[in-house]
Amino acid sequence: MHATIVLLAGDGIGPEIVAEATRVLRAIGTTWGHTFSFEEALIGGSAIDATGEALPGDTLARCRRADAILLGAVGGPRWDNPNATVRPEMGLLAIRKELGLFANIRPVTVQPSLVDSSPLKAERLRGVDLVIVRELTGGIYFGEQGRGPLPGGGERAFDTCVYTTAEVERVVRVAALLARRRQRRLTSVDKANVLTTSRLWRSVATRVVHDEFPDITLNHILVDACAMHLMRSPADFDVIVTENMFGDILTDEASMLAGSLGMLPSASLGDAGSGPTRMGLYEPIHGSAPDLAGRGVANPFGTILSAAMLLRHSLQLEAEALAVEEAVSETIDDGILTADLVEPGARAATTHEVGEAVVAALGG
Ligand code: IPM
Ligand code: MG
């Protein structure tokens, strides 16, 4: 097949990890006879430096025309001025919103060879295989916000959390469809004992699953209890669906099951279209790690696994996606690991060495 993939390397370690994931996609193209055209475009802090905007119009136009987007990370201390009117993260939020990518799928799997990299006891990690579906274009990330001085001194700031029935319905459907292809267990996470948006969330989730997915077992759990259960009995979860900010927090927590924040990939999807490809944005769940940038030490596995999700969800190339995932497992089993994953005292591989090893494993 032919596909156009936009590369949004972004800031910090973004360019290094995207380079390795692109190398893996090129190798897949060559071996499996696909022509992938790659187009680079600016987002985040590097886009602010070049154009003054975090998501330049040209980047958005290219993304709209593309079959899929691979993104590294945005942000860094350079653009952290609290008085700045434009911030790198605004580019990421804008592209998610503009492209209608409301469902963010974050799978959490434990590679057997990485059990010792996790801070959790090995026995808790047995059987862990879960997916967190995070709502991505609503909630407190996109509600009205403001900040201003108070007459008596000090300031007042606010962020608002808003959800509509339709927003909850569509993301719950994505999660339930996913659960249907897995163990048919869905956990909806909210804070319904405190938040009105959570009470709406809970009632909509209950109705959608009851009416449309009678084969799925749904349960509800409060977000604080979920955070605890993820550490105590992570193997109990199958698919988790939750709102934007809870999903952000729980996925960083869940990455510790996989051994490192650098391991988790993600796919951000909108409504399924009718064509052979489906627009999606693929990115590791971690940030731009400015302290690691330019040193060749960042973990590229999360980005390479995001490229596998791109093959699967946007290009419908399931066999190719599996080939990448198997090559990643083989590389890990061979002990080719970045500094965040190696045992103390062992030699760490560079970002580039990991990319090369995955490509070599694909050929073997
Ligand atoms: C993520 C990140 C982003 C988010 C930041 C960089 C805006 O933490 O994708 O999880 O909060 O969505
Ligand atoms: Mg996050």
Side-chain angles (χ1 to χ4, degrees):
M1 81 176 307
H2 178 266
T4 303
I5 299 168
V6 169
L7 303 174
L8 302 177
D11 311 318
I13 58 171
E16 296 161 64
I17 55 180
V18 166
E20 298 315 317
T22 308
R23 186 186 313 286
V24 170
L25 286 172
R26 280 190 209 281
I28 286 287
T30 310
T31 321
W32 296 71
H34 305 300
T35 3
F36 298 144
S37 344
F38 297 98
E39 285 184 25
E40 293 179 16
L42 294 170
I43 195 166
S46 48
I48 295 174
D49 288 349
T51 70
E53 291 175 290
L55 178 63
D58 172 67
T59 297
L60 184 58
R62 282 171 191 278
C63 289
R64 284 194 200 283
R65 286 195 301 265
D67 296 298
I69 305 159
L70 183 67
L71 186 143
V74 299
R78 234 165 97 91
W79 305 281
D80 264 350
N81 175 359
N83 299 317
T85 49
V86 48
R87 299 176 50 84
E89 290 76 9
M90 290 162 68
L92 186 55
L93 301 193
I95 196 169
R96 291 169 175 173
K97 190 74 168 180
E98 288 288 339
L99 299 178
L101 306 172
F102 63 85
N104 181 224
I105 300 173
R106 299 185 161 188
V108 183
T109 48
V110 177
Q111 303 274 348
S113 315
L114 291 184
V115 162
D116 291 333
S117 304
S118 171
L120 263 76
K121 293 195 183 87
E123 74 246 29
R124 307 236 158 163
L125 299 173
R126 207 167 301 127
V128 169
D129 176 17
L130 62 98
V131 181
I132 299 182
V133 179
R134 168 187 177 195
E135 200 289 327
L136 202 61
T137 53
I140 201 160
Y141 275 60
F142 292 94
E144 205 189 318
Q145 46 182 230
R147 176 172 171 174
L150 281 172
E155 285 181 276
R156 176 176 176 272
F158 64 94
D159 298 279
T160 0
C161 183
V162 181
Y163 270 109
T164 65
T165 303
E167 285 174 319
V168 183
E169 281 172 350
R170 62 186 186 177
V171 74
V172 168
R173 284 192 187 110
V174 168
L177 284 169
L178 201 62
R180 193 167 260 172
R181 300 204 306 266
R182 298 171 45 95
Q183 297 173 49
R184 298 178 181 251
R185 290 188 293 111
L186 180 60
T187 304
S188 174
V189 176
D190 61 41
K191 188 73 184 173
N193 53 345
V194 177
L195 302 176
T196 317
T197 42
S198 280
R199 287 190 280 274
L200 174 73
W201 183 283
R202 193 174 278 221
S203 63
V204 173
T206 303
R207 172 175 51 76
V208 168
V209 173
H210 177 271
D211 292 355
E212 300 172 32
F213 301 90
D215 53 316
I216 302 288
T217 309
L218 171 70
N219 57 55
H220 303 277
I221 181 170
L222 298 172
V223 62
D224 46 355
C226 182
M228 182 268 290
H229 276 288
L230 270 172
M231 296 293 105
R232 198 187 59 182
S233 38
D236 287 354
F237 293 100
D238 180 18
V239 178
I240 292 174
V241 63
T242 191
E243 64 97 69
N244 202 343
M245 189 158 78
F246 297 161
D248 179 44
I249 298 167
L250 292 177
T251 49
D252 265 31
E253 185 194 14
S255 75
M256 286 298 102
L257 305 167
S260 165
L261 186 55
M263 291 307 298
L264 294 205
S266 88
S268 304
L269 304 173
D271 282 319
S274 49
T277 62
R278 175 183 191 175
M279 167 56 82
L281 181 149
Y282 301 83
E283 54 172 321
I285 79 152
H286 61 73
S288 60
D291 50 321
L292 304 183
R295 295 169 40 204
V297 298
N299 177 346
F301 284 122
T303 318
I304 294 171
L305 291 168
S306 299
M309 293 187 85
L310 181 158
L311 294 166
R312 170 174 296 123
H313 294 284
S314 275
L315 309 186
Q316 325 301 330
L317 299 176
E318 177 64 26
E320 288 84 337
L322 282 172
V324 172
E325 287 161 354
E326 278 162 23
V328 163
S329 297
E330 201 177 310
T331 303
I332 290 170
D333 290 346
D334 287 345
I336 301 170
L337 305 170
T338 40
D340 52 321
L341 296 169
V342 284
E343 314 247 322
R347 182 188 172 274
T350 65
T351 310
H352 181 61
E353 283 168 347
V354 168
E356 299 254 273
V358 174
V359 168
L362 276 174

